Amino acid sequence: MQQNQVALPLRAHTILGVCEAVGEDFGFNPVLLRVPFAAGVLWSPTMILAIYFALGAAVLASRLLFPRSRSAQAHSATLQGPANQQVELANAA
């Protein structure tokens, strides 16, 4: 089965994919990180943008130094979205 994975920075619903990448790595919903960042931009935009880009650099470094195996990527892809649920239902039947 072929899986089309679009890189995080190129997805339509992300800016650079930093919050989504952190959410994937630590296993929580990225909205829980996006909301504080959005609220923080109102308080101190410069500091929040610096933190965001520093976190992005940390995510990039971790992805380059410790790449995920193909089986881990396939496993995380099966845990996402309703389209994959239909495939899982077909495989179960």
Side-chain angles (χ1 to χ4, degrees):
M1 177 186 328
Q2 181 182 3
Q3 304 228 352
N4 294 330
Q5 291 280 335
V6 178
L8 282 174
L10 300 177
R11 293 183 186 172
H13 61 279
T14 63
I15 296 174
L16 293 175
V18 174
C19 295
E20 188 165 342
V22 172
E24 283 179 6
D25 290 347
F26 291 105
F28 64 88
N29 190 343
V31 173
L32 297 175
L33 194 56
R34 289 177 181 143
V35 170
F37 271 118
V41 167
L42 298 174
W43 176 59
S44 176
T46 307
M47 184 174 70
I48 294 300
L49 286 175
I51 291 170
Y52 186 80
F53 286 118
L55 188 59
V59 166
L60 177 63
S62 72
R63 297 284 169 108
L64 292 175
L65 293 173
F66 308 107
R68 292 171 42 178
S69 65
R70 296 245 182 225
S71 63
Q73 290 175 349
H75 178 68
S76 68
T78 60
L79 297 177
Q80 297 174 356
N84 289 330
Q85 290 174 356
Q86 292 176 355
V87 172
E88 289 176 5
L89 290 175
N91 289 338

